[in-house]
């Protein structure tokens, strides 16, 4: 049986935090699945990761992450507040991070799309990612098609502005 439902998004500047209301005639498997999905997304939104710097352990919000990359067997986490190390593997971090916000651009790097100021596609066969802090990285050739299709989907959905930044 095909399920249909209506989605309404009500943007209200006076609201402090998002609220999800599911209105249905009865509780069904689909209703529970939608509720579960919303809860998981909110958990990911609020989740942080444990990082290390100068022998100290710290929990950082994932929204502060600019990029994560592997360098000399170490996981480097770059934020607006500096550079940290993580003990988790890139795969473990990728599974933890919000798939709508983070994107793998190579075997050794994941970026936060909300911290990207632009993409330079003028280089033949590759893509330069320019971050809001002025740093940059490159999409590996193997990932160019995945990155391009993801950006096209975001642009067609209207969730990406012309300058390459995801809309809030």
């Amino acid at each position: 049986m095909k399920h249909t439902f209506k989605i309404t998004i009500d943007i209200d500047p006076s609201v402090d935090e998002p609220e999800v209301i599911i209105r249905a005639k009865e509780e069904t498997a689909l209703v529970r699945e939608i509720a579960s999905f919303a809860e998981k997304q909110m958990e990911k939104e609020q989740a942080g990761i444990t990082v290390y710097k100068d022998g100290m352990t710290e929990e950082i919000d994932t929204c502060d992450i600019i990029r994560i990359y592997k360098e000399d067997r170490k996981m480097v986490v770059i934020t607006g507040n500096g550079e940290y190390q993580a003990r988790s593997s890139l795969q473990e971090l990728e599974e933890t991070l919000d798939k709508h916000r983070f994107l793998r651009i190579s075997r050794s790097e994941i970026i936060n799309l909300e911290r990207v100021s632009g993409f330079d596609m003028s280089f033949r066969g590759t893509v330069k990612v320019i971050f809001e802090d002025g740093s940059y990285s490159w999409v590996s050739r193997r990932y160019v098609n995945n990155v391009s299709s993801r950006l096209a989907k975001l642009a067609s959905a209207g969730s990406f502005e012309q300058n390459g930044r995801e809309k809030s």
Side-chain angles (χ1 to χ4, degrees):
M1 180 175 152
K2 184 177 179 181
H3 297 282
T4 60
F5 52 92
K6 179 177 149 185
I7 296 176
T8 303
I9 299 174
D10 182 13
I11 305 299
D12 181 351
S14 68
V15 173
D16 291 328
E17 59 186 44
E19 175 184 25
V20 176
I21 299 171
I22 302 170
R23 190 171 292 124
K25 185 176 184 177
E26 60 186 11
E27 186 174 327
T28 64
L30 177 61
V31 169
R32 286 189 297 275
E33 189 175 332
I34 292 169
S36 175
F37 177 79
E39 288 172 356
K40 286 177 185 172
Q41 288 305 114
M42 290 307 294
E43 286 171 9
K44 282 185 179 181
E45 183 75 23
Q46 297 168 356
I49 64 168
T50 303
V51 293
Y52 305 90
K53 184 176 186 175
D54 300 327
M56 302 292 289
T57 302
E58 196 174 325
E59 183 88 8
I60 60 169
D61 289 332
T62 58
C63 62
D64 293 333
I65 297 170
I66 296 172
R67 60 196 275 239
I68 303 170
Y69 60 92
K70 187 174 181 179
E71 181 178 73
D72 298 328
R73 297 183 182 211
K74 293 180 183 176
M75 294 307 309
V76 179
V77 179
I78 303 294
T79 72
N81 298 320
E83 185 175 307
Y84 300 87
Q85 289 185 4
R87 292 197 177 127
S88 303
S89 70
L90 197 61
Q91 173 128 8
E92 290 169 336
L93 290 169
E94 185 177 28
E95 290 169 4
T96 305
L97 298 169
D98 181 357
K99 289 173 181 33
H100 299 288
R101 183 185 299 156
F102 290 88
L103 176 65
R104 187 183 279 250
I105 62 167
S106 71
R107 285 181 49 196
S108 60
E109 186 168 1
I110 298 171
I111 62 170
N112 183 346
L113 289 170
E114 292 180 349
R115 299 303 199 115
V116 172
S117 64
F119 293 90
D120 185 350
M121 298 185 187
S122 64
F123 300 96
R124 190 178 199 160
T126 191
V127 177
K128 182 179 183 180
V129 181
I130 305 159
F131 299 99
E132 65 186 14
D133 67 353
S135 65
Y136 64 89
S137 188
W138 297 91
V139 177
S140 75
R141 291 185 192 273
R142 180 177 168 190
Y143 284 80
V144 167
N145 288 339
N146 291 344
V147 170
S148 296
S149 67
R150 174 82 179 276
L151 295 177
K153 284 179 188 174
L154 288 169
S156 69
S159 60
F160 226 66
E161 296 176 352
Q162 288 292 345
N163 69 352
R165 290 183 59 83
E166 195 161 0
K167 290 184 181 176
S168 302

